[in-house]
Amino acid sequence: MSGASSSSTGHLDRRDDAVILQPAATYNGGYADSDAAGIRLRIANGGAGQSGLIGAWADAFIQHCVQKKSISPFQVGWYLGDTTQSLSYLAAGQVDVAVTYNGAAEKQSIDSKAASQIVYGFRDHFLLVGPKSNPANLSETDDILLQFNKIVTVGNADAATPPTTRDTVRFLSRFDKSATNIKESQIFITIGQ
């Protein structure tokens, strides 16, 4: 069985001055008759939803519940949100689960009683990429902290005296409170920047 994905692109609707969060996708575990039960589990996340992992989890969970627990087919909704948004949706009761990537934010959610528990699900991976010209002269043998230090050092020198024979070193950030943005901020803090 394959799951179905449908719905909107994950947005907010206004009805009678109430804001209603809409799922970016809904999954039914392959059961066409799940519409009657509607969405019974709401999961917020960014990258794992965009890559299809949330959909695969949702479909497997629905199939398990129907086949092993004799529960009638239902739907799972995926709500697009970075770590900060997902935890905010959880705190507001707009979702049931937030799949996030930041231990400090998760601990705050537990401490504030917005979340009841943290369960390790999977490890995400991050890559540092840049131009082929490699103006910061990064080496594959450098660890990530040394690479970020080189980017800062050469970038600061380039800001003071712009280079004329190579590309200027810049670090581009999404600056959007996503898990990736939080991770890069933690690295900059670790190297004292």
Side-chain angles (χ1 to χ4, degrees), residues 95-116:
V95 299
D96 306 301
V97 175
V99 179
T100 60
Y101 314 94
N102 183 275
E106 293 158 1
K107 182 180 180 316
Q108 177 58 35
S109 187
I110 289 286
D111 292 348
S112 70
K113 308 287 189 238
S116 59

Side-chain angles (χ1 to χ4, degrees), residues 21 26 38 43 62 67 70 99 101 105 116 132 143 155:
L21 186 65
T26 55
I43 302 173
I62 295 165
Q67 296 167 10
S70 300
V99 179
Y101 314 94
S116 59
K132 288 183 180 185
D143 68 22

Side-chain angles (χ1 to χ4, degrees), residues 110-192:
I110 289 286
D111 292 348
S112 70
K113 308 287 189 238
S116 59
Q117 71 181 62
I118 298 171
V119 177
Y120 178 78
F122 67 94
R123 184 176 311 271
D124 208 348
H125 296 279
F126 301 91
L127 298 173
L128 177 62
V129 297
K132 288 183 180 185
S133 62
N134 193 11
N137 198 26
L138 303 182
S139 170
E140 290 183 16
T141 60
D142 296 342
D143 68 22
I144 194 66
L145 299 177
L146 181 55
Q147 289 178 341
F148 268 64
N149 261 315
K150 285 182 177 181
I151 291 168
V152 169
T153 300
V154 178
N156 287 344
D158 287 358
T161 307
T164 57
T165 59
R166 64 166 172 75
D167 292 332
T168 301
V169 171
R170 292 189 174 104
F171 185 87
L172 301 179
S173 171
R174 294 182 346 193
F175 197 64
D176 62 356
K177 296 185 184 177
S178 65
T180 304
N181 179 235
I182 292 169
K183 188 64 165 175
E184 70 194 24
S185 296
Q186 288 174 327
I187 293 170
F188 280 116
I189 290 167
T190 300
I191 65 168

